[in-house]
Amino acid sequence: MPNEHSGATFPNGAGLYCTGFALEIQEKLGDRVAVYGFFAEDNPGTVWDRLANGHDFAVIDDRFIVDPWVSDMEQEGQGVYDLEDDDDTAEIARLYGARANWDVVSPAPTPGRPGP
């Protein structure tokens, strides 16, 4: 049960951190979602150099970044980006850096295996 110092939690128990937002999206949409993340020091040049030591976010259908944390909590972007849309390329680079620097935090479940 949250108290005045703990903040709210999602039904899955994740607190109000970027990871919790991403895992909640994965829980709602299932195997369409993988959760990725990075440490700022491993992905230099992103806004996370000044905001936090890293960031986690959801990717739907291996195409759409869905990140309510970045838009709602940090007021840094629109929160949804298309990895295949050239108009989103610069903003994706600013917020998320190079995809090669992302680590899988929670992969999409495989058929017959429960998710996280």
Side-chain angles (χ1 to χ4, degrees), residues 7-114:
T9 59
F10 290 111
N12 69 9
L16 287 182
Y17 296 98
C18 57
T19 309
F21 277 65
L23 290 173
E24 186 68 12
I25 292 166
Q26 185 179 53
E27 186 170 306
K28 297 292 183 196
L29 298 179
D31 64 357
R32 296 179 59 202
V33 179
V35 177
Y36 291 93
F38 55 84
F39 290 104
E41 64 190 35
D42 298 331
N43 199 2
T46 67
V47 299
W48 303 102
D49 289 337
R50 68 177 168 79
L51 295 177
N53 65 353
H55 187 57
D56 297 328
F57 51 95
V59 177
I60 299 174
D61 297 332
D62 200 35
R63 179 171 177 176
F64 300 99
I65 295 173
V66 178
D67 189 1
W69 180 268
V70 79
S71 60
D72 295 348
M73 304 303 279
E74 300 293 349
Q75 291 84 42
E76 281 291 337
Q78 63 196 29
V80 177
Y81 299 94
D82 184 343
L83 291 164
E84 296 180 13
D85 186 339
D86 292 340
D87 291 340
D88 286 349
T89 299
E91 189 68 351
I92 289 169
R94 182 180 82 85
L95 294 170
Y96 306 99
R99 192 168 186 170
N101 294 334
W102 303 352
D103 293 314
V104 174
V105 174
S106 180
T110 56
R113 182 176 61 86

